[in-house]
Amino acid sequence: LFPPPLTPDPAAAATITLHDIESQHPYFSTSPGPATWKEEQMDLGKLCHCFRAETWQDHGDDPDCGCSIMTLLCCASAGRVGNMIVLQQTLKNDEPRLLCVLGPFWPVLVFITWPLHIGVSGYTLHRLIELGAAWHVVAVWAGLTLCLFTALYKVSTTDPGILPRYVEQPDSSWRWNSQANTYRPTGAVYDQECGVVVEGFDHVCPWTGTAIGAKNMSWFQTFVGSVFFMIIVDIALCSGAFT
């Protein structure tokens, strides 16, 4: 599915070892590490590290630790790019394209964000039925809620803009990134939590479980705007407005 591993530009990265290159993704700009989740799952030392008494005391409230454990336990058969979980990918012009990818904080998305939105929406629908709201009010509310759910799904599963690996400098404005062993353009940032270089990187949003970058920023803005709008709408409908 992927092209053979690339060799770095020796003039730009003379200190890179052969192990660094072999342990990185052959196409995308990732940090060195296990190529699959199953390989990392075999490293029982890392899994047990989070359960050691002194580690849990220091980092037990860190969501990164708990999410890492759940990823190793649940995602062994999924694809991997850095610390991103690849659920679906394809080839376009002999280059991999990520169609469905989850970020490292996917447990927050699955067990907190989605249940919270579904629960609030379910309660609002119950109130609309209880108050005898007109069908067109329910239809408009359902359409707006569907838009919110669609935005949340798209922002959490869309490739945020993971940069391919560039071992040669495309132009003088690109800078070498030693963490991912690649050249990167202005605005592209290596994120340690995701383990990849993201174009147009803005931040990592635990609520959506992933990084926010150039390719999912529009969906993130739609999601945030929908959340605030639906808070107002749901409160108004639950209080008896428009019924």
Side-chain angles (χ1 to χ4, degrees):
L1 180 61
F2 300 114
L6 299 173
T7 303
D9 180 0
T15 60
I16 300 175
T17 66
L18 179 62
H19 177 267
D20 290 333
I21 298 303
E22 291 179 342
S23 64
Q24 289 182 298
H25 196 280
Y27 180 79
F28 292 107
S29 53
T30 67
S31 55
T36 65
W37 296 110
K38 189 168 293 186
E39 288 181 20
E40 187 165 356
Q41 192 180 52
M42 297 299 292
D43 184 5
L44 297 179
K46 179 174 182 178
L47 189 61
C48 294
H49 172 75
C50 286
F51 287 106
R52 290 210 310 265
E54 64 273 17
T55 302
W56 191 258
Q57 183 177 0
D58 293 338
H59 306 290
D61 58 348
D62 183 1
D64 191 22
C65 187
C67 291
S68 297
I69 294 173
M70 296 194 68
T71 298
L72 293 177
L73 293 177
C74 302
C75 302
S77 61
R80 178 173 188 171
V81 174
N83 294 329
M84 308 290 282
I85 304 163
V86 180
L87 300 180
Q88 186 179 8
Q89 60 186 350
T90 187
L91 282 176
K92 183 177 182 180
N93 299 327
D94 295 326
E95 295 180 351
R97 291 292 183 267
L98 304 178
L99 302 180
C100 185
V101 56
L102 296 177
F105 295 104
W106 66 268
V108 178
L109 168 73
V110 172
F111 297 108
I112 298 179
T113 307
W114 272 113
L116 184 62
H117 285 288
I118 293 174
V120 171
S121 299
Y123 175 77
T124 303
L125 178 60
H126 169 74
R127 284 289 295 164
L128 288 174
I129 297 174
E130 186 178 56
L131 294 171
W135 69 269
H136 61 273
V137 174
V138 177
V140 171
W141 170 86
L144 294 173
T145 301
L146 180 61
C147 291
L148 169 63
F149 286 179
T150 300
L152 175 57
Y153 171 78
K154 294 297 290 185
V155 70
S156 60
T157 60
T158 298
D159 171 15
I162 301 175
L163 188 74
R165 188 180 308 284
Y166 290 87
V167 295
E168 297 182 358
Q169 190 175 24
D171 61 61
S172 59
S173 65
W174 289 51
R175 294 292 179 264
W176 180 257
N177 182 272
S178 59
Q179 296 162 304
N181 299 326
T182 181
Y183 284 100
R184 61 172 180 82
T186 303
V189 176
Y190 172 79
D191 179 66
Q192 184 176 4
E193 293 173 317
C194 295
V196 295
V197 177
V198 179
E199 293 184 82
F201 178 81
D202 189 78
H203 69 289
V204 174
C205 175
W207 298 106
T208 61
T210 190
I212 307 302
K215 292 185 178 181
N216 64 352
M217 174 59 77
S218 60
W219 284 114
F220 178 74
Q221 293 173 338
T222 301
F223 168 67
V224 172
S226 298
V227 167
F228 284 102
F229 182 72
M230 289 306 296
I231 287 175
I232 298 173
V233 171
D234 287 349
I235 290 176
L237 292 176
C238 289
S239 64
F242 311 111
T243 58

